[in-house]
Amino acid sequence: LYAAIENPHFAAVTSGYIGRVRLALGDNERALQSFNRKLLMSRVVQDRRMESYTLRDIGNVLAEKGKQKEALAQYRDALSLSQDVKDRRGAALILVAIGKLAEKSGDNAGALANYEQALSMMQAVADRRGEAQTLMNLASAKRDSGRLDDARHDIERSLGLIEKVRTKVLSPALRISYLETVYRHYEFYVDLMMRMHERNPSGGYDTLALEANEHARARTLLENLMVVRTDIRQGVDPQLLQEERQIQQRLNEKAEQQTRLLSTRTQPEREAAIRLEVESLLSQYKEIESRVRDQSPKYAALTQPRPLNLAGIQQELDEDTLLVEYALGTERSYGWAVTKHSSESFKLPPRAEITRSAKVLYDALSQQGAATLVDDYRTAANELSKILLEPVAHRLPGKRLVIVADGILQYIPFTALPEPGVKEDGLRVPLVVNHEIVTLPSISTLAVLRNELRGRIAASKTLAVIADPVFESDDPRVRQSRLQVRTQLPGNVAPLRGSDTEEPLGTVGRDIKPIVFERLPFSLEEADAILNIARTRKVMRAVGFDANLKAALDPAIREYEIIHFATHALLHNSPELSGIVLSLVDQSGRMQDGFLRLNEIYNLDLAADLVVLSACQTALGKETRGEGLIGLTRGFMYAGVPRVVASLWRINDRSTAEFMRYFYEAMLNQQETPSKALRSAQIKMWETNKSAIPHSWSAFTLQGEWR
């Protein structure tokens, strides 16, 4: 397009962007083609600054290909041009690139000299992000030279700059994105502190590493939890708030259309167009969200929450609880075991090694417990148990376990890992048999949750169950309703599907079939069994057509202590558009909005102590470095719910209904806490077939409060 309107300058810039994307994708040859094209165009338009940046990009490709001498020649030409045009920031970036080449070749002194020169330039032009990155490079070179204290000084300065930049970003989504790009700075600091701990075990460096790991985790969730009980929209321009509501409504409508089209797989052009509309509306929504926060006097008055130090972490634990926190790293991973009165650390294998075993285990557990995968399950479970649990085996007896996982470990049910050294009838016993297990995105989020819930008025009613929605117009329940409705309608009125005539929707659901939302017949049995257990307590039963979006958004839902959804879940690439699938048609077969999306869950303002998501993969979400899994579980926490039970993979309808019956019997009849009741249900299911893959019972996990 730029070429068509004869704008060679921006055509060159765009060619460079294409090259950088290709380089990021590992397509070095085509990246080089794009950069060479940009180089020619930059010379045609006589833009020497652009030419300098392009030579640096070409040098980056050559360095990636291992051609160090050729890369260095390109960098030197680029540096000369930058100096000629007095572009200090550009020169600094090139000096960093030259420093990296020197560091790779083992010339640490040369690397340090280039980094120091680049740092002075970054500071002179007030490029805080560039300064933070250069300090990281300096710290890396000094660490590799054995100068650990000097490396610590530089990386701490780098982290300080990162925090300053981060707090100036109002959009939660952009904060998450920014932290993801600089997360390796925190990872480096944790690794450095643990190396210093090895050199001086009594210096308290492993405690600093734990505190840094907490500092880097779930930061945006932590900040959002501070907003839960604050009306940040008070005092904001009403016109902006109206615009926010309109954008959200349009976004939900377009996302629903996109989901319906994806299920048909017959209109790729229209689907592509709607996808672009969804992305545009989502971008607008996030931008308005930032403007609301910028205008909000109450948001401006909020103080930034501080992640806990060791003393604060221990204050949140009781005598019976052991916190096990993990941090996966490129070269080495680490873990910490913390009790009310003690703390210790341990070294683990690199991320790649742990990931290999974790992937095998997840595949074996999630594929309906296929008999052919029994050996894979046992091998991977034993390997992970040895890696993750043996270092803390002496701490396990008699303890409740609170797991703060990292990376792929967020997908693994620790309940199904064999407990080190414990066997029964020759079989290794799963960890859940002797331990209550809960998960958290960070222990700091629990502290904020507890503080926000302190003094909250308790819900006055016990249980709301939303189950067995109607997904399709050819559902037999629709036909039965039509017969009833027709007797009441005038003769010239026919029950129509309405303007939305697309085919049934597609998703990842609770049953084993993707794409189509099939009815879940056992979810009705599940609902009635749970309500029967509740007996005389105050309950709400919303099933069939009543299991709709109106019921989920009704302010009356706030009166219930437990909210139970038994239906399908929808996972979307943009977490805000993930959600719970409710009735998609009314009694006359007309299509209706039935998606309770994450952006709506955020605003529910619930008083519930527990939400149970009896649906598929509801514990999952979009994984981001540092922030963790962003999905439905996090949405309900933001809405004020201290604990959520959700699933890690697709689960069978029948076995889920059975599991939930055990869970509610323990919770309502035996008065067990949700985490204890979950363990009771899991043990009951395990006892029915101790040698089988624990597919059906280990899928469910409890995240949040255990008290």
Side-chain angles (χ1 to χ4, degrees):
L1 288 172
Y2 280 127
I5 63 171
E6 298 180 353
N7 188 330
H9 183 276
F10 280 110
V13 170
T14 308
S15 183
Y17 288 145
I18 292 170
R20 289 183 184 181
V21 173
R22 285 174 171 164
L23 181 60
L25 292 170
D27 190 352
N28 295 336
E29 294 303 324
R30 294 181 72 198
L32 200 55
Q33 291 173 15
S34 294
F35 291 140
N36 282 327
R37 188 180 306 115
K38 180 186 177 186
L39 183 63
L40 289 172
M41 296 165 78
S42 66
R43 288 170 176 167
V44 168
V45 298
Q46 299 182 350
D47 188 330
R48 299 178 75 199
R49 183 174 179 274
M50 183 193 295
E51 184 180 350
S52 170
Y53 276 85
T54 311
L55 288 170
R56 186 192 64 140
D57 286 333
I58 291 172
N60 289 343
V61 178
L62 294 171
E64 190 73 22
K65 295 174 72 173
K67 297 181 178 181
Q68 306 233 345
K69 287 184 180 179
E70 293 94 326
L72 185 58
Q74 297 290 331
Y75 289 149
R76 284 175 174 162
D77 288 346
L79 182 60
S80 177
L81 279 169
S82 289
Q83 290 168 339
D84 286 348
V85 299
K86 296 181 172 53
D87 179 8
R88 287 186 291 180
R89 181 179 181 275
L93 291 171
I94 297 162
L95 286 166
V96 167
I98 294 173
K100 287 181 180 178
L101 276 186
E103 196 173 352
K104 278 185 180 179
S105 65
D107 179 12
N108 264 21
L112 286 168
N114 281 287
Y115 292 152
E116 291 284 6
Q117 192 178 349
L119 181 63
S120 296
M121 292 181 176
M122 291 291 189
Q123 290 170 335
V125 298
D127 183 351
R128 298 294 174 244
R129 293 178 64 185
E131 185 181 351
Q133 181 57 55
T134 308
L135 284 165
M136 166 79 172
N137 293 331
L138 275 167
S140 177
K142 289 175 182 177
R143 179 197 64 185
D144 295 344
S145 300
R147 297 164 56 186
L148 301 190
D149 290 311
D150 291 340
R152 176 186 177 183
H153 175 71
D154 287 337
I155 192 61
E156 286 180 346
R157 286 170 63 196
S158 174
L159 292 175
L161 288 168
I162 285 169
E163 288 300 319
K164 286 180 180 178
V165 172
R166 188 182 170 280
T167 54
K168 292 178 181 177
V169 180
L170 289 171
S171 164
L174 290 180
R175 281 192 176 188
I176 291 169
S177 178
Y178 174 63
L179 188 58
E180 192 171 18
T181 65
V182 296
Y183 185 76
R184 61 194 183 92
H185 294 236
Y186 293 93
E187 186 179 300
F188 177 93
Y189 184 77
V190 167
D191 181 74
L192 180 65
M193 291 300 99
M194 293 304 291
R195 288 174 189 243
M196 295 179 77
H197 170 70
E198 288 179 4
R199 190 178 66 178
N200 179 12
S202 61
Y205 295 109
D206 58 339
T207 296
L208 292 174
L210 169 63
E211 292 171 354
N213 194 56
E214 270 290 309
H215 196 82
R217 297 186 60 85
R219 294 290 301 284
T220 304
L221 173 62
L222 202 61
E223 290 155 354
N224 283 342
L225 289 174
M226 296 286 288
V227 180
V228 169
R229 298 292 173 243
T230 304
D231 184 8
I232 64 169
R233 285 166 177 77
Q234 187 174 330
V236 175
D237 182 0
Q239 187 174 346
L240 180 61
L241 297 179
Q242 175 66 15
E243 188 179 351
E244 180 189 35
R245 286 189 292 271
Q246 290 173 347
I247 290 288
Q248 181 172 352
Q249 183 178 352
R250 288 170 57 201
L251 177 60
N252 288 346
E253 290 170 356
K254 286 297 176 183
E256 182 182 359
Q257 288 182 39
Q258 182 189 34
T259 305
R260 295 180 190 278
L261 283 173
L262 281 171
S263 70
T264 66
R265 300 184 184 277
T266 58
Q267 302 180 58
E269 296 85 3
R270 188 177 175 198
E271 191 279 318
I274 287 186
R275 184 180 69 248
L276 289 174
E277 288 186 71
V278 167
E279 290 171 357
S280 174
L281 287 168
L282 190 57
S283 178
Q284 292 176 54
Y285 181 73
K286 290 176 180 177
E287 193 270 335
I288 288 176
E289 184 181 40
S290 299
R291 287 164 58 196
V292 168
R293 292 185 178 218
D294 187 36
Q295 286 192 14
S296 171
K298 292 203 170 185
Y299 183 78
L302 288 174
T303 56
Q304 287 289 316
R306 294 290 300 172
L308 300 176
N309 58 18
L310 177 60
I313 290 171
Q314 291 177 318
Q315 188 175 336
E316 298 302 323
L317 304 177
D318 48 58
E319 299 288 346
D320 301 324
T321 300
L322 172 68
L323 166 69
V324 187
E325 185 158 335
Y326 295 96
L328 304 187
T330 304
E331 297 180 22
R332 299 186 291 181
S333 301
Y334 300 100
W336 298 266
V338 184
T339 68
K340 186 78 173 172
H341 307 291
S342 68
S343 173
E344 63 181 276
S345 59
F346 47 95
K347 187 167 68 174
L348 299 169
R351 180 188 294 112
E353 183 178 331
I354 293 173
T355 297
R356 279 194 297 272
S357 294
K359 281 184 175 178
V360 173
L361 179 64
Y362 185 85
D363 288 344
L365 283 169
S366 61
Q367 293 180 36
Q368 291 290 301
T372 55
L373 297 172
V374 170
D375 289 341
D376 287 348
Y377 160 68
R378 288 180 180 166
T379 300
N382 290 338
E383 286 176 358
L384 278 181
S385 176
K386 183 175 182 179
I387 292 170
L388 302 174
L389 299 177
E390 278 196 4
V392 295
H394 61 292
R395 296 279 186 187
L396 294 178
K399 294 293 186 183
R400 172 193 300 108
L401 302 184
V402 176
I403 305 295
V404 176
D406 185 27
I408 193 160
L409 297 183
Q410 297 169 101
Y411 298 82
I412 298 303
F414 277 70
T415 51
L417 295 182
E419 182 168 358
V422 180
K423 288 188 177 182
E424 183 179 303
D425 299 328
L427 294 173
R428 296 190 67 179
V429 173
L431 198 60
V432 72
V433 173
N434 296 311
H435 304 277
E436 194 180 322
I437 301 170
V438 299
T439 63
L440 282 170
S442 76
I443 195 72
S444 300
T445 58
L446 177 67
V448 174
L449 268 172
R450 285 175 171 172
N451 185 61
E452 291 300 311
L453 296 174
R454 197 169 286 122
R456 185 175 76 175
I457 298 174
S460 58
K461 300 176 182 177
T462 302
L463 174 65
V465 177
I466 301 176
D468 193 25
V470 184
F471 303 121
E472 300 185 39
S473 57
D474 60 357
D475 187 301
R477 290 172 291 179
V478 174
R479 290 196 290 271
Q480 292 168 9
S481 298
R482 280 174 174 168
L483 290 174
Q484 297 167 4
V485 171
R486 280 181 183 135
T487 62
Q488 303 167 15
L489 293 175
N492 61 344
V493 178
L496 301 175
R497 186 182 273 200
S499 59
D500 250 332
T501 58
E502 287 83 8
E503 292 301 308
L505 307 143
T507 189
V508 173
R510 168 173 152 173
D511 60 349
I512 62 172
K513 295 181 180 179
I515 306 303
V516 175
F517 293 132
E518 294 184 349
R519 184 182 180 183
L520 302 168
F522 288 97
S523 68
L524 180 59
E525 291 186 19
E526 174 182 321
D528 288 338
I530 292 170
L531 291 166
N532 184 54
I533 293 167
R535 292 191 182 92
T536 58
R537 297 174 176 89
K538 295 179 179 179
V539 299
M540 180 188 90
R541 181 180 185 270
V543 301
F545 297 107
D546 293 333
N548 55 33
L549 188 59
K550 182 181 177 182
L553 296 177
D554 192 328
I557 201 88
R558 199 177 186 279
E559 300 173 10
Y560 293 91
E561 182 183 357
I562 303 169
I563 303 173
H564 182 98
F565 292 94
T567 180
H568 289 286
L570 173 71
L571 297 181
H572 198 284
N573 290 334
S574 298
E576 298 90 344
L577 301 179
S578 295
I580 296 167
V581 188
L582 302 171
S583 285
L584 300 172
V585 297
D586 64 14
Q587 291 179 326
S588 299
R590 288 187 292 262
M591 303 300 287
Q592 63 183 15
D593 183 8
F595 297 106
L596 177 62
R597 298 191 184 274
L598 189 58
N599 58 12
E600 294 169 308
I601 293 172
Y602 283 148
N603 297 318
L604 285 180
D605 188 22
L606 298 172
D609 284 333
L610 170 68
V611 164
V612 179
L613 302 176
S614 183
C616 280
Q617 298 177 308
T618 46
L620 304 185
K622 182 179 181 181
E623 183 184 353
T624 59
R625 295 301 309 280
E627 198 63 32
L629 296 176
I630 303 174
L632 299 177
T633 300
R634 186 157 301 193
F636 279 106
M637 282 188 166
Y638 182 67
V641 181
R643 56 184 72 76
V644 180
V645 170
S647 66
L648 289 164
W649 52 76
R650 295 178 186 172
I651 44 181
N652 178 270
D653 187 29
R654 183 194 296 267
S655 59
T656 299
E658 180 184 13
F659 179 86
M660 287 298 165
R661 181 165 53 82
Y662 292 148
F663 173 58
Y664 277 91
E665 282 174 350
M667 190 165 51
L668 297 181
N669 289 350
Q670 298 165 30
Q671 300 298 303
E672 292 184 354
T673 63
S675 59
K676 287 182 179 178
L678 189 68
R679 174 176 170 245
S680 296
Q682 289 172 328
I683 291 173
K684 264 193 173 179
M685 297 284 279
W686 170 71
E687 287 175 340
T688 61
N689 191 350
K690 296 180 180 180
S691 63
I693 294 178
H695 164 83
S696 58
W697 60 261
S698 66
F700 285 101
T701 179
L702 185 142
Q703 188 167 131
E705 178 66 86
W706 62 83
R707 292 176 182 170

